[in-house]
Amino acid sequence: MTASLWNRYCTYLVSDADLGLTLDISRMRFPDGFFETMEPAMQQAFAAMAQLEQGAIANPDENRMVGHYWLRTPELAPTAEIAQSLKSGVDAIVAFAHKVIAEKKFRHILHIGIGGSALGPQFVAQALGEANQPLSISFLDNTDPDGFDRVLAELNGKLHETLVTVVSKSGSTPEPSNAMLEAKAAFQMAGIPFAAHAVAITMPGSKLDQLAIAEKWLARFPMQDWVGGRTSVMSAVGLVPAALVGIDVRAFLEGAAAMDRLTRQTTTRQNPAAVLALMWYFAGDGKGSKDMVILPYKDRLALFSKYLQQLVMESLGKELDRTGAVVNQGIAVYGNKGSTDQHAYIQQLRDGVANFFATFIQVRKDRAGLSIAVEPGITSGDYLLGFLLGTRQALYENGRDSITIAIDELTPRTLGALIALYERAVGLYAELVNINAYHQPGVEAGKKAASAILGLKAKVLSALRQTTGGLTAEAVANQLGLSQEVETIYQILDHFAVNHASGVVRIQGGDPLSTLFAVRG
């Protein structure tokens, strides 16, 4: 290490002894004076974040506040009613989990959700779960029939001791609704009453909430309108499954609250979220021109890059800024765990296109117990550290920038702090580039398009049933007056033909233009 690099390390290192966390930006090649240049914009970002926490409308599309910070510090909520509901909500979750664990009726959890409603709980369960935890946990997080079959097959013979947690804010989102119906059918086939095993996590008064009340489900926990899916892991969405597998959810929340306190300060160089956001801004020229590669050197954090994909990309990937100007903002996120990637895409990161910056995530404590020597005086953990430091140096020597975030050990408290660090950094970065981090018009557009295709499916099948011979996709499209949708119609027919329950078969042709489809039986 050169003396100048050591000086940069000492000058710019951000650390917090309470959380055992450090943020090292010495290997980001920002110029002298960068922080001073960005200080006015950073102060504006701090002010905007303060307004957000005070209850300002942050999502004007839906006239919503954004209050995931209140989940771990209820006293900051804008009303006493919200604050009290959050406190009593955590108490109810902890009491429910203690009761379930003590009764020992349930040994497994089947958690149903989509997006952050599943990914957050998955990430936390993998990061903090233990072999001897009171309940094991499985997930249905898609609408893939084969995926349903695989997970439910693993629970075959165990449904009588399986608790099902169903998460859906509205109760009408297709993916969790489909998964719930599939799980319900499996319980009915096994002769087990589903309601006695079902827990609803939803908005009060939603379609799911009404169903749970009507069927007398085992329990119901509320979701808040002002918490988005990608920031919901510290709401009932994440706390219910975490508490059921034995994780200390109060420590998890307290770690996030501690990070919030640390990142609420307005002295930029002492605020790790502000420093992180500024490094993202520098790396991508404020335009997201470089990808973010997340490299956690801890097996338990293997899902961290996937978790951050949703948090960062859904929040920052926006076509328009707040003035309505087209900006096409966003930062692409990908990654995997070290040292696995010593043998995978590190080769390209070092020698290929320099279109990224890396973030190394280090957990200093190797394991709970003592380590054996795999070589004289060297443990497997020494190797892991060697690979991290070596890879970081190899990237730096070839002109690739990187950030290193380290914690002393991985606990519920420090995991909560890590999540909160990135949540705050996302919010601050969004302010720096003047976009709304809290809406998702692209996601909503995709949902509308999918709904339209499902409606088209019924029309296609109806048209096919009205002919005795076969029809090409083009003929079906013309019959429906939808010639511009011919490819979509072909894809629908192709799907019908492979799934024989529809009765649709291919009867002629070897290419999309000439293939005939007909209904048989």
Side-chain angles (χ1 to χ4, degrees):
M1 180 186 291
T2 65
S4 62
L5 194 53
W6 170 244
N7 289 337
R8 280 177 68 87
Y9 177 83
C10 295
T11 300
Y12 292 108
L13 186 71
V14 184
S15 62
D16 183 71
D18 175 52
L19 290 167
L21 179 143
T22 57
L23 170 64
D24 169 19
I25 59 169
S26 60
R27 286 167 174 75
M28 298 291 289
R29 290 175 172 82
F30 56 89
D32 293 341
F34 174 73
F35 278 88
E36 289 74 14
T37 299
M38 296 298 298
E39 185 63 15
M42 200 71 249
Q43 290 301 320
Q44 289 181 7
F46 289 143
M49 290 295 290
Q51 291 180 347
L52 179 84
E53 287 194 312
Q54 291 165 12
I57 298 299
N59 187 349
D61 292 359
E62 299 169 310
N63 195 36
R64 287 181 184 172
M65 301 181 293
V66 172
H68 51 275
Y69 297 108
W70 311 331
L71 296 171
R72 52 258 197 171
T73 314
E75 55 269 27
L76 291 179
T79 70
E81 182 183 5
I82 292 176
Q84 183 54 45
S85 70
L86 292 174
K87 292 175 184 176
S88 60
V90 174
D91 291 341
I93 289 167
V94 171
F96 176 73
H98 285 171
K99 181 174 183 290
V100 169
I101 292 170
E103 288 178 345
K104 297 184 178 180
K105 174 183 176 182
F106 298 108
R107 300 289 184 180
H108 313 282
I109 305 165
L110 178 60
H111 185 84
I112 295 173
I114 186 68
S117 297
L119 185 53
Q122 279 180 301
F123 172 47
V124 171
Q126 185 176 98
L128 300 175
E130 299 293 348
N132 61 347
Q133 64 190 34
L135 284 82
S136 68
I137 188 165
S138 304
F139 295 88
L140 295 181
D141 62 353
N142 200 356
T143 185
D144 177 6
D146 181 59
F148 295 150
D149 291 345
R150 290 182 65 191
V151 173
L152 292 171
E154 292 171 1
L155 292 171
N156 186 36
K158 304 175 185 176
L159 292 181
H160 64 286
E161 51 185 10
T162 297
L163 186 70
V164 184
T165 48
V166 183
V167 182
S168 177
K169 181 178 279 190
S170 67
S172 58
T173 304
E175 296 93 337
S177 178
N178 294 350
M180 180 197 70
L181 292 172
E182 294 268 359
K184 198 171 186 179
F187 271 82
Q188 289 172 344
M189 191 174 296
I192 300 169
F194 180 75
H197 294 245
V199 175
I201 303 171
T202 187
M203 285 272 293
S206 73
K207 183 178 178 181
L208 177 59
D209 193 46
Q210 293 173 24
L211 177 69
I213 292 171
E215 295 185 350
K216 298 182 180 179
W217 285 20
L218 183 63
R220 294 156 40 238
F221 294 97
M223 294 176 72
Q224 294 81 18
D225 186 54
W226 34 261
V227 176
R230 57 191 176 279
T231 56
S232 65
V233 72
M234 293 178 194
S235 71
V237 170
L239 297 185
V240 170
L244 286 168
V245 300
I247 294 168
D248 184 347
V249 296
R250 295 192 190 278
F252 182 57
L253 292 169
E254 202 285 317
M259 179 56 72
D260 288 343
R261 291 192 294 272
L262 183 61
T263 57
R264 204 172 281 127
Q265 63 179 307
T266 58
T267 303
T268 300
R269 290 270 296 277
Q270 296 174 14
N271 182 324
V275 171
L276 196 56
L278 285 170
M279 290 302 97
W280 297 354
Y281 188 95
F282 163 73
D285 298 319
K287 301 174 182 176
S289 58
K290 287 190 176 179
D291 301 340
M292 183 191 305
V293 179
I294 303 294
L295 297 169
Y297 277 64
K298 195 71 172 179
D299 285 0
R300 287 178 176 271
L301 295 177
L303 283 178
F304 198 25
S305 60
K306 189 175 180 182
Y307 181 81
L308 292 179
Q309 273 183 345
Q310 179 174 32
L311 174 64
V312 174
M313 295 175 72
E314 188 172 351
S315 298
L316 302 182
K318 302 295 161 64
E319 180 182 16
L320 306 177
D321 69 10
R322 286 195 174 108
T323 70
V326 176
V327 291
N328 296 118
Q329 275 285 354
I331 302 176
V333 180
Y334 64 95
N336 205 340
K337 66 182 182 182
S339 67
T340 300
D341 290 316
Q342 310 300 133
H343 311 286
Y345 55 69
I346 290 296
Q347 170 63 37
Q348 176 170 316
L349 296 185
R350 186 183 186 280
D351 294 345
V353 182
N355 61 347
F356 71 94
F357 64 98
T359 302
F360 293 91
I361 310 291
Q362 177 192 2
V363 179
R364 296 187 183 96
K365 186 171 183 177
D366 292 337
R367 58 167 30 126
L370 297 176
S371 292
I372 65 167
V374 294
E375 291 182 16
I378 297 175
T379 68
S380 53
D382 295 333
Y383 263 107
L384 190 64
L385 176 62
F387 283 132
L388 186 158
L389 297 178
T391 301
R392 185 179 66 158
Q393 184 63 18
L395 292 179
Y396 184 76
E397 289 173 351
N398 222 32
R400 275 62 169 161
D401 287 351
S402 69
I403 299 164
T404 302
I405 298 173
I407 53 176
D408 284 346
E409 59 183 318
L410 185 61
T411 65
R413 188 170 187 266
T414 57
L415 185 67
L418 271 179
I419 292 171
L421 170 63
Y422 273 90
E423 287 179 350
R424 182 81 61 164
V426 162
L428 291 171
Y429 180 89
E431 295 300 330
L432 291 176
V433 298
N434 194 31
I435 60 169
N436 186 345
Y438 306 106
H439 67 164
Q440 47 281 333
V443 175
E444 298 307 319
K447 290 179 180 178
K448 289 178 181 177
S451 178
I453 288 171
L454 290 172
L456 179 57
K457 178 181 172 182
K459 295 178 182 178
V460 168
L461 190 58
S462 176
L464 211 59
R465 284 174 173 161
Q466 292 175 24
T467 181
T468 54
L471 292 176
T472 64
E474 205 165 15
V476 173
N478 290 334
Q479 185 172 320
L480 294 174
L482 296 171
S483 58
Q484 74 280 9
E485 299 289 344
V486 64
E487 185 200 343
T488 300
I489 288 170
Y490 176 80
Q491 298 286 358
I492 290 171
L493 289 166
D494 218 27
H495 184 260
F496 274 143
V498 173
N499 293 276
H500 300 295
S502 67
V504 175
V505 295
R506 299 188 192 95
I507 59 173
Q508 182 182 324
D511 61 72
L513 280 172
S514 62
T515 299
L516 293 174
F517 296 89
V519 176
R520 292 286 185 264

